Amino acid sequence: MSLARRLLAEAVGTTALLATVVGSGIMGTQLAAGNDAIALLANAAATAGVLYVAIVVLGPLSGAHFNPAVTLAMRLRGELDTRATLAYIGVQCVAAIAGVVLAHAMFDLPLLQPGTHARTGAAQWLSEAVATCGLLLTILLGLRARPAAIPALVAAYIFAAYWFTASTSFANPAVTLARALTQTFAGIRPIDAPGFIVAQLVGTALALLLAAWLERRTPAAAG
């Protein structure tokens, strides 16, 4: 598979992911009439749904990373070269912003709007480290044990992590960057984004260490 085709798959998937995250947040807020729980449920369900579809459809083309943390993990495990890693991350970040712009356009909102939703503090950062670590472990261990189940595993994990983390589980540096450009339900203040990204990288490193330790001691499951 050529790098250009892989990058196009990453662009399509990441754009769809962010359009869904932001668009479902807007629609959920409109329909929930002030009930944040309903808006969050709609946001989580839509995000999990599009992840499942995107991984099934685009996974055979690019690996369906849609996330610089996943790409970095694959590079550190020797499954991706440096050139492809940098290209993947660049495309993911640009496509994530494109997804936010697309969502705004569909709802007739200003295309770029610096986020105003405060998300900062130790609890939020811990949540992002936990969310990212859990996502990476789901992928790394899932690829070893049940590769065919990865779409469902990732979708289920993200749906759950929306609810059990205080940050609602961004778990993705490109998502964080793009969500700093919306003032909607899904947004984050630009000033808060670096803290989230650092926490996500810490979670990625922890997941790699845990996966390496577990894989040394646990034989691959049959089937």
Side-chain angles (χ1 to χ4, degrees):
M1 184 71 64
S2 71
L3 180 58
R5 291 180 67 189
R6 290 153 63 196
L7 293 177
L8 178 59
E10 283 295 298
V12 170
T14 308
T15 299
L17 173 60
L18 267 295
T20 301
V21 169
V22 175
S24 65
I26 297 168
M27 180 64 79
T29 302
Q30 291 177 354
L31 297 178
N35 188 323
D36 286 346
I38 295 177
L40 183 60
L41 178 61
N43 202 200
T47 302
V50 80
L51 273 172
Y52 180 85
V53 172
I55 295 170
V56 169
V57 172
L58 299 172
L61 300 177
S62 71
H65 296 186
F66 315 141
N67 184 337
V70 174
T71 299
L72 180 60
M74 295 306 173
R75 176 65 187 95
L76 293 174
R77 287 167 66 93
E79 298 176 21
L80 206 63
D81 63 36
T82 300
R83 174 171 171 263
T85 298
L86 294 175
Y88 265 50
I89 291 174
V91 164
Q92 289 157 0
C93 290
V94 172
I97 294 171
V100 171
V101 171
L102 177 59
H104 288 164
M106 287 191 292
F107 286 89
D108 196 24
L109 297 174
L111 298 184
L112 293 175
Q113 36 182 280
T116 56
H117 191 160
R119 300 180 190 264
T120 189
Q124 294 279 316
W125 301 328
L126 176 61
S127 293
E128 277 303 293
V130 168
T132 309
C133 180
L135 175 60
L136 267 292
L137 281 176
T138 298
I139 294 168
L140 297 176
L141 299 182
L143 285 171
R144 177 182 174 84
R146 292 287 188 275
I150 285 293
L153 290 171
V154 171
Y157 177 81
I158 289 297
F159 183 85
Y162 258 87
W163 290 91
F164 76 75
T165 63
S167 63
T168 67
S169 183
F170 287 41
N172 183 329
V175 166
T176 303
L177 174 67
R179 288 172 68 167
L181 298 174
T182 182
Q183 295 175 7
T184 65
F185 180 82
I188 179 174
R189 295 184 306 182
I191 195 172
D192 296 335
F196 267 48
I197 292 172
V198 169
Q200 290 156 3
L201 295 177
V202 170
T204 301
L206 181 58
L208 286 166
L209 291 172
L210 287 171
W213 189 86
L214 290 168
E215 288 172 339
R216 282 202 305 269
R217 291 160 173 78
T218 305

